[in-house]
Amino acid sequence: ELRRMSVSREQRGRGLARALCREVLGFARARGFGAVVLSTSMVQVAAQRLYEGQGFRRVGASSPSLLGTILHFQIFHYRCDLGAR
């Protein structure tokens, strides 16, 4: 599970997040893992584009709490199968 990946605002737009994502996928692939999974919130549109561009596909969504359900706030779940890339 990929957790808490972020790049500071002043460093964004330089390809660092793509490079980090590729590194994680390569690390997992080299060690024989079948997939990498992650979650991001519905408001993190740039993160969604990044992950989808790296081969992740959205596999589900959930609400983090009752308040999240009432507010229609969702967490999107992604998976990248490593054997296919």
Side-chain angles (χ1 to χ4, degrees):
E1 181 177 5
L2 178 58
R3 295 188 62 118
R4 306 262 186 223
M5 185 176 84
S6 67
V7 174
S8 65
R9 287 193 194 283
E10 56 273 0
Q11 298 299 319
R12 291 180 187 164
R14 302 171 124 196
L16 295 171
R18 279 189 309 278
L20 285 168
C21 199
R22 282 193 305 268
E23 187 67 25
V24 166
L25 295 174
F27 179 91
R29 190 176 285 115
R31 284 155 181 79
F33 289 96
V36 174
V37 298
L38 58 84
S39 300
T40 192
S41 75
M42 63 187 284
V43 298
Q44 299 292 333
V45 177
Q48 293 167 42
R49 283 195 308 259
L50 167 70
Y51 300 138
E52 290 166 5
Q54 295 295 308
F56 285 84
R57 70 187 192 306
R58 192 181 306 170
V59 294
S62 63
S63 258
S65 65
L66 178 58
L67 180 59
T69 300
I70 293 167
L71 296 174
H72 302 289
F73 183 83
Q74 291 188 312
I75 301 296
F76 295 148
H77 307 287
Y78 283 88
R79 178 184 177 101
C80 182
D81 291 314
L82 299 176
R85 281 192 70 140

